[in-house]
Amino acid sequence: MKQFNWGILGLGNIAHEFADNMVRLHPIYAAAARSLDSALAFQKEYGVEKAYGSYEELLSDPKVDIVYVATVNSQHYKCIMACLEHGKHVLCEKAIWGNYREMKAACALAKEKGLLLCEGMTIFHMPIFKEIKQMIADGKLGTIKFVEAELGSLKEDDPANRFFNPDLGGGSMLDIGTYGLSFVTYFLSGEITDMNHLMSPYPTGVDETWSIALKTSTKEVGSVNLTFRAKLPKRGIIAGDKAYITVMNYVRAEKATLVYPDGSEEVLEVGETAKALQYEIQDIEAAVATNDHSLAFVDYTMKVVELMDRLLTAEGRQ
């Protein structure tokens, strides 16, 4: 398979983690920050071939094939559209965007230009979830009845923090909510027919805590619970009438426990948590190389964006 030239926009913490994983697979071609000094420091740390002091310079480089957007949430849409206009495939860090109408417009532009637009959602790329999907298809869990995800991220109680800043795309939905919704929608079958929720805001007005209930056309029920100001386990549960599976650290899981009605258990271990971003990169490159965009789970991303839009709109956040 061709080695693709990746460019990285925005060089914060997640960009460093992404770069550390990418160099384990192949070199990084280009990186851009809002200051050249930052880009040069990143270049030195990861052996990047090209460093740019503006996003426009990187996007104007004809050798860049795929761009990883790692800017703050509030800049995602602007950066996505700029990448597509310059003819670049795009992998955008989660949450890709919270406005479904704008996301559809971006996807339409990507399709028109023959480009891939997808989200950096590790859940979709972990080998263990592909294994669990196959187990469900084989009937090992029986008929699925209930899928749950919970995640509590105890952020510092600081209104100045970007996580609580509405102007920077703050709030739990656009940070951790997308994980819970991605897990639940990935394992639920049918279409979402009903959705109810409760939300408690932070003093700055952003969403702090959610409890979300879903029902599908196949009569399955989903539940997502998340909060920014308390700890909850990163736990996902898929329950059928023959067995249930508990997945701890479901964001980047490598292990799951299958439990039968008589209490007996089986432990499933597939893949490595430490390689989560490498699995993601490899799937995106395969999607571009083969033009099989299902490898990038674009349809699941759009389902999640639509749900987030509905939830955020209901709470006056859109």
Side-chain angles (χ1 to χ4, degrees):
M1 188 169 68
K2 171 189 172 183
Q3 179 178 307
F4 292 99
N5 287 333
W6 285 75
I8 301 176
L9 294 188
L11 305 180
N13 291 337
I14 189 62
H16 281 265
E17 185 181 3
F18 186 85
D20 184 62
N21 278 270
M22 178 162 281
V23 296
R24 296 169 193 269
L25 299 172
H26 57 67
I28 302 166
Y29 175 71
R34 287 176 292 183
S35 77
L36 183 57
D37 286 346
S38 295
L40 289 171
F42 194 88
Q43 178 185 42
K44 182 178 180 181
E45 185 172 355
Y46 298 104
V48 178
E49 185 172 337
K50 298 285 186 179
Y52 294 109
S54 74
Y55 299 162
E56 177 65 28
E57 286 179 277
L58 184 148
L59 296 179
S60 297
D61 186 333
K63 291 186 177 181
V64 173
D65 298 311
I66 310 172
V67 175
Y68 171 57
V69 175
T71 58
V72 295
N73 286 340
S74 59
Q75 296 298 308
H76 282 183
Y77 185 70
K78 178 181 178 181
C79 290
I80 286 169
M81 297 303 280
C83 292
L84 295 174
E85 291 289 1
H86 282 81
K88 313 300 185 187
H89 300 285
V90 185
L91 170 64
C92 182
E93 184 51 43
K94 62 83 192 166
I96 189 169
W97 198 235
N99 183 303
Y100 185 57
R101 178 183 57 81
E102 291 181 340
M103 201 64 231
K104 285 197 296 183
C107 285
L109 180 60
K111 185 175 181 180
E112 175 190 323
K113 290 179 170 287
L115 298 168
L116 175 66
L117 169 59
C118 58
E119 181 180 42
M121 176 51 61
T122 50
I123 286 171
F124 298 145
H125 305 284
M126 297 304 295
I128 196 166
F129 291 132
K130 297 173 185 180
E131 182 76 11
I132 292 172
K133 273 277 197 179
Q134 189 58 55
M135 291 171 63
I136 293 172
D138 292 342
K140 194 158 187 179
L141 276 71
T143 300
I144 300 303
K145 300 294 185 179
F146 181 76
V147 182
E148 178 183 41
E150 54 190 356
L151 176 54
S153 171
L154 183 56
K155 306 297 185 187
E156 183 182 356
D157 191 7
D158 177 8
N161 190 302
R162 71 173 181 86
F163 295 113
F164 299 114
N165 187 332
D167 296 329
L168 295 178
S172 60
M173 180 57 67
L174 292 177
D175 188 74
I176 59 176
T178 184
Y179 283 124
L181 287 171
S182 293
F183 180 89
V184 169
T185 55
Y186 187 59
F187 288 107
L188 287 174
S189 65
E191 299 300 317
I192 304 295
T193 58
D194 295 284
M195 180 168 65
N196 293 287
H197 74 277
L198 296 171
M199 191 278 283
S200 179
Y202 187 74
T204 60
V206 303
D207 47 293
E208 177 188 308
T209 300
W210 293 86
S211 183
I212 304 160
L214 307 168
K215 188 170 78 172
T216 74
S217 56
T218 55
K219 298 183 180 180
E220 297 172 5
V221 171
S223 175
V224 178
N225 296 299
L226 45 117
T227 181
F228 254 1
R229 287 291 301 131
K231 269 294 183 185
L232 285 173
K234 295 177 183 175
R235 181 174 62 189
I237 298 173
I238 308 144
D241 58 8
K242 290 184 179 178
Y244 71 86
I245 286 181
T246 298
V247 188
M248 301 305 295
N249 188 30
Y250 69 85
V251 171
R252 298 183 180 183
E254 62 183 14
K255 182 186 292 187
T257 304
L258 181 67
V259 183
Y260 294 97
D262 65 3
S264 60
E265 299 182 355
E266 292 179 20
V267 176
L268 181 69
E269 295 185 68
V270 185
E272 299 177 43
T273 294
K275 293 183 177 179
L277 293 179
Q278 294 174 50
Y279 300 136
E280 182 178 281
I281 292 165
Q282 289 169 328
D283 276 355
I284 300 316
E285 292 183 339
V288 172
T290 63
N291 201 34
D292 181 359
H293 292 184
S294 68
L295 297 172
F297 300 89
V298 180
D299 289 345
Y300 284 105
T301 292
M302 291 304 289
K303 284 183 182 180
V304 172
V305 172
E306 182 179 17
L307 292 174
M308 288 197 303
D309 189 311
R310 288 167 58 185
L311 290 161
L312 291 169
T313 297
E315 292 297 336
R317 289 292 321 279
Q318 297 284 48

